[in-house]
């Protein structure tokens, strides 16, 4: 399989670059700039992309790389800081730009280039720089300019080295996708051999070889990653796979049953469901502090999970739904730290397996979803909106009780049902019900009521770092409110949260 290296110099878009390359059917992997050159050579890349970075090349503390990387005969594309780095490596001049460019800028191509094949002479790109190349290095020719940047792109066709001051990977760059495509297909000679179908076939084959006759145990959470890992492993080794599903009773209404039914009916595997809501209710009894609640749920989850794993006995393989973003070493700062993530769990010392299997460790989330759909896992699971690890615990304010779980589950089920029926859920990134634990006075027939309030929360976001509250049409909200107060016994008032993040968070605790 052909591979592209995204050499990470700490830019904010490094994962986006790799995703764009993969979207164009070429496999890309990200390595930090601290990776030795012989390691890069050993991995046999078809092309290398230097990412952007926050620094100036003349700053001693900036990430640099040995100039020899340009002598390997592998095509290189430098982006933003990566572009300046190439100029610096080849003794061009990088200086502080008299006018720094930030945002959408018009570029003009000034010379023919394979990088710009099929692209108009003038187009809009996304710029973000304070330094620029004031003089291109010897052997390079300028291929594009802007009003304030005399070298917006340059090339050395003989050595197949290209560099762009702008960011082709962001959607604001009008023909960015085409430029990356040209680099991959016209310059690196890629043929587009990264396809999800072949990923499934290759992975199933290598899983079979690795696992042999042994068994595999996987912790299934009902989330996208572990569900798709389960689907792949089941296809590879069928009933040699045991999935352990801890149902702490803090999921959405009937979700535990749905997960069980889906996996037992769709796939050949041994499915072990541990129902332990009471265990969690006991552990959470009297606890109101949000952080303590989260901690208890996390700790108890693993206590129950590892107890069950011990019951299943030692030996065989332990599988995890780790995905690529969980494994990427950052090019920023301390390159020795690998990002820690909940997907990679620490195993107790008295549990022993012959090895760990992470069948999704090379995939981005979108790719995991695509694999899941190809494996026949229902959309409901693979397109599932994010659900916090601590579950409804963070959507019930104050102490958790079985009755409060029922109220929030029932209200949430009505909200989901209405959103699915009218198709509005397509417009939302996440939506759910929250029980604030506050009661208010109401009236039903001739009677005064004093019952719980339900808050509806719905947000639109690209990355969940910031989020806007969703402008759901009033008539949909009216229907949801009407149904909740009629159908969920114990709720007499429904309110809609109109706060964005920041200042609020998406969840309530
Ligand atoms: P906040 O509340 O921080 O949430 O704005 C942002 C996104 O993260 C999800 N979330 C979690 N996911 N474990 C998770 O796996 C957690 O503890 C957790 N807390 C929040 C939240 O649902 C939203 O999508």
């Amino acid at each position: 399989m052909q591979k592209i290296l995204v050499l990470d110099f700490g830019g904010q878009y490094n994962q986006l670059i790799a995703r764009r390359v993969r979207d164009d059917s070429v496999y890309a992997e990200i390595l930090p700039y601290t990776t030795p050159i012989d390691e890069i050579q050993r991995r046999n890349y078809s092309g290398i992309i230097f990412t952007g970075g926050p620094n100036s090349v003349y700053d001693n503390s900036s990430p640099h790389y040995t100039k020899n990387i340009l002598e390997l005969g592998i095509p290189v594309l430098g982006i933003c800081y990566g572009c300046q780095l190439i100029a610096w490596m080849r003794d061009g001049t990088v200086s502080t730009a008299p006018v720094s460019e930030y945002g959408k800028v018009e570029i003009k191509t000034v010379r023919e280039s394979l990088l710009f094949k099929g692209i108009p002479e003038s187009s809009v790109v996304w710029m973000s720089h304070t330094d620029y190349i004031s003089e291109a290095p010897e052997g390079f020719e300028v291929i594009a300019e802007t009003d304030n940047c005399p070298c917006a792109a340059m090339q050395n066709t003989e050595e197949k080295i290209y560099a762009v001051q702008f960011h082709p990977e962001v959607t604001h760059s009008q023909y960015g996708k085409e430029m990356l495509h040209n680099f991959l297909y016209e310059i690196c000679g890629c043929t587009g051999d990264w396809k999800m179908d072949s990923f499934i076939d290759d992975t199933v084959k290598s899983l079979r070889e690795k696992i042999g006759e042994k068994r595999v145990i996987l912790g299934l959470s009902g989330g996208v990653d572990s569900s798709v890992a389960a689907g792949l492993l089941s296809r590879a080794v069928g009933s040699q796979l045991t999935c352990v599903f801890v149902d702490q009773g803090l999921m959405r209404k009937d979700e535990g049953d749905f997960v069980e039914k889906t996996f037992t009916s769709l796939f050949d595997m041994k499915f072990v469901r541990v129902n332990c809501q009471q265990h969690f209710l006991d552990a959470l009894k009297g606890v109101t502090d949000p952080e303590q609640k989260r901690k208890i749920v996390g700790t108890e989850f693993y206590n129950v999970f590892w107890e069950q794993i011990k019951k299943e006995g030692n030996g065989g393989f332990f599988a995890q739904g780790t995905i690529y973003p969980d494994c990427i070493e950052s090019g920023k700062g301390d390159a020795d730290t690998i990002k820690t993530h909940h997907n990679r769990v620490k195993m107790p010392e008295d549990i022993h397996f012959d090895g760990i299997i992470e069948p999704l460790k090379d995939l981005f989330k979108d790719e995991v979803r695509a694999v899941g759909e190809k494996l026949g896992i229902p959309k409901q699971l693979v397109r599932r909106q994010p659900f916090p690890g601590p579950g409804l615990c963070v959507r019930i304010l104050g102490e958790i009780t079985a009755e409060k779980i029922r109220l929030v589950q029932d209200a949430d089920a009505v909200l989901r049902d209405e959103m699915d029926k009218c198709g509005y859920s397509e417009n939302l990134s996440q939506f759910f019900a929250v029980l604030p634990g506050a009661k208010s006075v109401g009236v039903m027939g001739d009677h005064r009521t004093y019952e719980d309030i339900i808050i509806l929360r719905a947000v639109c976001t690209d990355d969940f770092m910031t989020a806007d509250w969703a402008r759901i049409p009033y008539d949909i909200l009216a229907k949801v409110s009407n149904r909740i107060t009629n159908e969920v016994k114990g709720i007499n008032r429904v309110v809609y949260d109109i706060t964005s993040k920041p200042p609020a968070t998406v969840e309530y605790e």
Side-chain angles (χ1 to χ4, degrees):
M1 186 176 61
Q2 294 161 333
K3 283 182 299 191
I4 294 290
L5 168 63
V6 175
L7 195 57
D8 180 10
F9 290 97
Q12 56 177 321
Y13 300 126
N14 55 20
Q15 290 198 26
L16 190 58
I17 298 171
R19 279 179 48 201
R20 292 276 182 261
V21 173
R22 293 211 196 168
D23 283 349
D24 209 4
S25 305
V26 179
Y27 183 75
E29 57 191 20
I30 304 169
L31 290 179
Y33 69 92
T34 46
T35 309
I37 190 162
D38 40 339
E39 170 76 16
I40 290 179
Q41 219 169 350
R42 196 179 57 73
R43 293 190 184 214
N44 203 14
Y45 291 107
S46 303
I48 301 174
I49 300 177
F50 293 178
T51 73
N55 313 69
S56 161
V57 284
Y58 290 115
D59 187 343
N60 278 341
S61 62
S62 292
H64 288 95
Y65 203 83
T66 167
K67 298 175 183 185
N68 298 342
I69 194 162
L70 300 181
E71 322 293 334
L72 297 178
I74 306 172
V76 173
L77 172 67
I79 294 177
C80 196
Y81 176 82
C83 165
Q84 294 165 9
L85 195 63
I86 291 173
W88 177 85
M89 283 170 158
R90 283 297 178 86
D91 300 322
T93 311
V94 178
S95 41
T96 306
V99 181
S100 36
E101 292 175 305
Y102 183 82
K104 287 182 181 176
V105 174
E106 189 176 334
I107 55 157
K108 286 189 193 77
T109 56
V110 293
R111 190 174 258 109
E112 279 218 354
S113 170
L114 278 179
L115 197 62
F116 299 144
K117 191 177 162 187
I119 293 167
E121 251 176 56
S122 162
S123 70
V124 170
V125 295
W126 184 259
M127 283 283 195
S128 170
H129 66 110
T130 43
D131 282 1
Y132 73 172
I133 298 169
S134 44
E135 202 182 320
E138 218 181 294
F140 283 77
E141 47 194 15
V142 174
I143 51 174
E145 61 183 22
T146 72
D147 285 348
N148 294 305
C149 187
C151 177
M154 62 180 190
Q155 67 180 7
N156 177 327
T157 50
E158 210 164 295
E159 294 184 273
K160 297 192 176 179
I161 303 172
Y162 294 76
V164 293
Q165 181 56 66
F166 52 88
H167 288 275
E169 70 277 20
V170 304
T171 47
H172 308 296
S173 290
Q174 212 178 348
Y175 294 98
K177 226 166 143 182
E178 288 77 0
M179 293 174 195
L180 287 173
H181 178 86
N182 285 338
F183 177 67
L184 300 173
Y185 288 80
E186 300 292 332
I187 296 162
C188 301
C190 294
T191 52
D193 58 0
W194 173 246
K195 301 253 167 37
M196 286 305 112
D197 283 326
S198 45
F199 170 84
I200 294 175
D201 293 343
D202 295 347
T203 308
V204 163
K205 191 163 160 260
S206 68
L207 284 172
R208 277 188 191 139
E209 275 163 19
K210 180 164 183 178
I211 298 165
E213 300 296 312
K214 292 183 177 171
R215 61 166 196 161
V216 190
I217 290 196
L218 170 77
L220 191 65
S221 68
V224 180
D225 305 340
S226 63
S227 298
V228 176
L232 261 179
L233 283 160
S234 166
R235 182 171 286 196
V237 296
S239 56
Q240 285 164 253
L241 170 67
T242 300
C243 283
V244 173
F245 172 51
V246 175
D247 185 349
Q248 10 77 317
L250 292 168
M251 287 193 292
R252 286 169 290 200
K253 190 174 183 178
D254 299 330
E255 202 161 20
D257 296 343
F258 173 70
V259 170
E260 177 170 359
K261 199 165 146 237
T262 303
F263 285 95
T264 49
S265 61
L266 264 184
F267 297 112
D268 189 19
M269 63 168 67
K270 183 179 163 206
F271 189 91
V272 179
R273 177 171 173 178
V274 189
N275 285 321
C276 47
Q277 189 185 60
Q278 195 53 51
H279 178 94
F280 278 79
L281 285 174
D282 292 345
L284 288 163
K285 197 169 170 51
V287 184
T288 54
D289 177 65
E291 275 313 302
Q292 217 189 334
K293 281 162 69 182
R294 275 176 174 270
K295 224 170 164 175
I296 290 170
V297 176
T299 310
E300 290 310 319
F301 178 87
Y302 282 111
N303 284 345
V304 174
F305 180 68
W306 293 125
E307 264 322 297
Q308 187 61 41
I309 297 292
K310 276 186 211 165
K311 282 186 199 157
E312 299 294 322
N314 282 321
F317 290 93
F318 183 70
Q320 302 198 66
T322 320
I323 68 170
Y324 192 51
D326 304 333
C327 314
I328 299 171
E329 285 180 61
S330 165
K332 273 184 234 165
D334 182 2
D336 292 335
T337 33
I338 296 177
K339 205 175 136 197
T340 52
H341 193 278
H342 65 277
N343 271 349
R344 276 197 163 160
V345 296
K346 202 168 176 298
M347 199 175 291
E349 277 168 9
D350 54 346
I351 294 182
H352 304 286
F353 283 99
D354 301 340
I356 305 276
I357 288 180
E358 295 174 315
L360 306 175
K361 71 173 182 358
D362 293 327
L363 301 191
F364 283 111
K365 195 86 174 184
D366 293 345
E367 294 170 322
V368 173
R369 291 203 172 97
V371 168
E373 282 178 8
K374 285 195 185 296
L375 289 168
I377 300 174
K379 265 210 160 67
Q380 229 173 317
L381 261 179
V382 291
R383 296 278 155 199
R384 190 179 189 253
Q385 53 174 305
F387 188 65
L392 298 178
C393 190
V394 296
R395 295 178 185 170
I396 296 170
L397 279 58
E399 190 185 0
I400 308 291
T401 65
E403 172 61 6
K404 289 182 185 176
I405 293 175
R406 179 193 69 81
L407 287 174
V408 83
Q409 277 182 337
D410 285 353
D412 190 72
V414 170
L415 174 67
R416 274 194 291 155
D417 184 47
E418 277 306 319
M419 287 299 166
D420 290 344
K421 267 189 196 152
C422 69
Y424 203 79
S425 44
E426 301 280 314
N427 305 316
L428 305 173
S429 306
Q430 199 172 6
F431 60 95
F432 50 85
V434 176
L435 190 78
K439 287 180 190 271
S440 76
V441 173
V443 58
M444 185 173 283
D446 295 334
H447 301 283
R448 174 186 182 276
T449 58
Y450 186 57
E451 293 179 330
D452 269 287
I453 298 173
I454 275 287
I455 300 172
L456 305 179
R457 178 75 164 143
V459 294
C460 299
T461 172
D462 286 331
D463 56 8
F464 292 94
M465 305 293 284
T466 61
D468 198 9
W469 64 274
R471 273 47 167 189
I472 299 177
Y474 283 171
D475 49 353
I476 301 178
L477 287 172
K479 197 150 188 204
V480 174
S481 164
N482 198 17
R483 275 193 59 193
I484 290 177
T485 47
N486 275 306
E487 295 172 29
V488 185
K489 207 166 170 301
I491 303 294
N492 67 356
R493 188 180 296 266
V494 177
V495 301
Y496 186 48
D497 182 346
I498 53 166
T499 330
S500 292
K501 172 185 180 176
T505 49
V506 175
E507 302 288 351
Y508 271 58
E509 282 194 343

